Amino acid sequence: MGRKAFVGGNWKMNTQRESATALATAVAKATEKASRDVEVVVFPPFPYLLPVGDAIGPRVRLGAQDAYTEASGAFTGEVSVAMLADCGATHALTGHSERRHVLGESDTLVGAKTRAVLDGGLTCVVCVGETLEQREAGETDTVNERQTRAALEGVSAEGMARVVIAYEPVWAIGTGRTASPADAQQAHAALRALLAKLYDDKVAAATRIIYGGSVKGANAAELFGQPDIDGGLIGGASLDAEEFGAIVTAAAKKVH
Ligand code: PGA
């Protein structure tokens, strides 16, 4: 069986209660048809998980932008996986470049968070990707490999059924600069080869590897047309339901 396309809308630190609910309602409408063939997930800010969960309808799934490693206790400001699940979240992001580079998360912490998300029964979208400096130094695959190995440490082959890898070159996030389909494909193929090495060919063939970084309605089809690109993680364009809907429609057309 082929890989089901996946499109996530990472709302980051945007929206307020009313606009979040309105966006969720509009996303449900704009993706109504295509979401039969695509796993569509929105990742609102923590405080809006509940109202957004009520507004997204039966087909769009709810995700959290982050999760903490521990189940409960004295961790001021943090949110556990069980709390997220209790709010209806079925997915969580780990290792987003803004958490790595703005909030200073290490590879080790990303690995611990990934294990916590999986142990808590959620699907984990693990984000990896190189900075511009690293790309220019020819280190793209090395960085992706280091981050992926650390994030997946202790994750079994069975656990991989609930892992999606998001390749997001840092220089392409929020910059309007998209990786060329060929460059993105090359990085995705290298990641898939790494999964074959870490697990086996079956896991490598079954795992969704999605691209993130300035994906829009206008460039989605070409990116998703690459053999190893199984969808996208969308930031800016996910705040516009019509644009996001066009991206999900482009993913629905992808046949593996
Ligand atoms: P962008 O963000 O689409 O605004 O570039 C992507 C992401 O950070 O997931």
Side-chain angles (χ1 to χ4, degrees), residues 8-10 12 93 96-98 127 166 168-170 172-177 211-216 232-238:
N10 175 11
K12 308 191 179 182
L93 303 179
H96 190 277
S97 80
E98 286 142 24
C127 308
E168 301 202 296
V170 180
I173 296 179
T175 58
R177 233 184 115 182
Y211 169 81
S214 299
V215 178
K216 302 186 256 318
L233 185 58
I234 320 302
S238 73

Side-chain angles (χ1 to χ4, degrees), residues 64-252:
Q65 297 174 17
D66 187 28
Y68 196 55
T69 54
E70 304 306 314
S72 63
F75 302 102
T76 302
E78 294 299 332
V79 178
S80 76
V81 178
M83 291 171 184
L84 298 172
D86 194 27
C87 292
T90 51
H91 295 66
L93 303 179
T94 58
H96 190 277
S97 80
E98 286 142 24
R99 299 224 51 96
R100 292 180 190 270
H101 299 292
V102 183
L103 285 312
E105 288 194 8
S106 66
D107 286 347
T108 313
L109 181 58
V110 173
K113 287 186 170 186
T114 301
R115 286 190 295 281
V117 168
L118 295 173
D119 289 348
L122 272 58
T123 293
C124 192
V125 180
V126 178
C127 308
V128 301
E130 85 286 3
T131 62
L132 185 58
E133 214 181 13
Q134 290 165 331
R135 166 157 288 257
E136 284 171 349
E139 293 167 4
T140 299
D141 292 343
T142 323
V143 170
N144 284 342
E145 172 161 353
R146 191 196 72 229
Q147 293 182 349
T148 305
R149 274 181 185 275
L152 298 181
E153 206 182 311
V155 177
S156 67
E158 292 70 42
M160 285 301 290
R162 280 188 287 108
V163 170
V164 174
I165 309 272
Y167 167 59
E168 301 202 296
V170 180
W171 49 272
I173 296 179
T175 58
R177 233 184 115 182
T178 317
S180 72
D183 282 349
Q185 164 58 26
Q186 199 280 327
H188 283 234
L191 281 164
R192 204 174 298 288
L194 174 65
L195 294 180
K197 202 157 76 176
L198 294 177
Y199 297 93
D200 55 30
D201 288 348
K202 213 170 129 205
V203 167
T207 304
R208 272 87 55 86
I209 306 178
I210 62 174
Y211 169 81
S214 299
V215 178
K216 302 186 256 318
N219 59 23
E222 206 189 344
L223 285 160
F224 301 164
Q226 302 298 310
D228 286 296
I229 302 184
D230 304 315
L233 185 58
I234 320 302
S238 73
L239 298 171
D240 178 328
E242 236 172 85
E243 189 76 15
F244 187 67
I247 295 168
V248 173
T249 302

Side-chain angles (χ1 to χ4, degrees), residues 9-91:
N10 175 11
W11 295 0
K12 308 191 179 182
M13 202 173 73
N14 293 298
T15 69
Q16 295 218 321
R17 187 166 51 185
E18 238 177 79
S19 52
T21 311
L23 178 58
T25 308
V27 163
K29 200 157 165 259
T31 62
E32 199 177 353
K33 238 169 132 189
S35 59
R36 290 164 206 264
D37 302 315
V38 181
E39 192 169 332
V40 180
V41 189
V42 291
F43 297 85
F46 285 145
Y48 309 132
L49 280 167
L50 284 169
V52 166
D54 286 339
I56 48 175
R59 270 202 281 273
V60 176
R61 314 302 295 274
L62 187 66
Q65 297 174 17
D66 187 28
Y68 196 55
T69 54
E70 304 306 314
S72 63
F75 302 102
T76 302
E78 294 299 332
V79 178
S80 76
V81 178
M83 291 171 184
L84 298 172
D86 194 27
C87 292
T90 51
H91 295 66

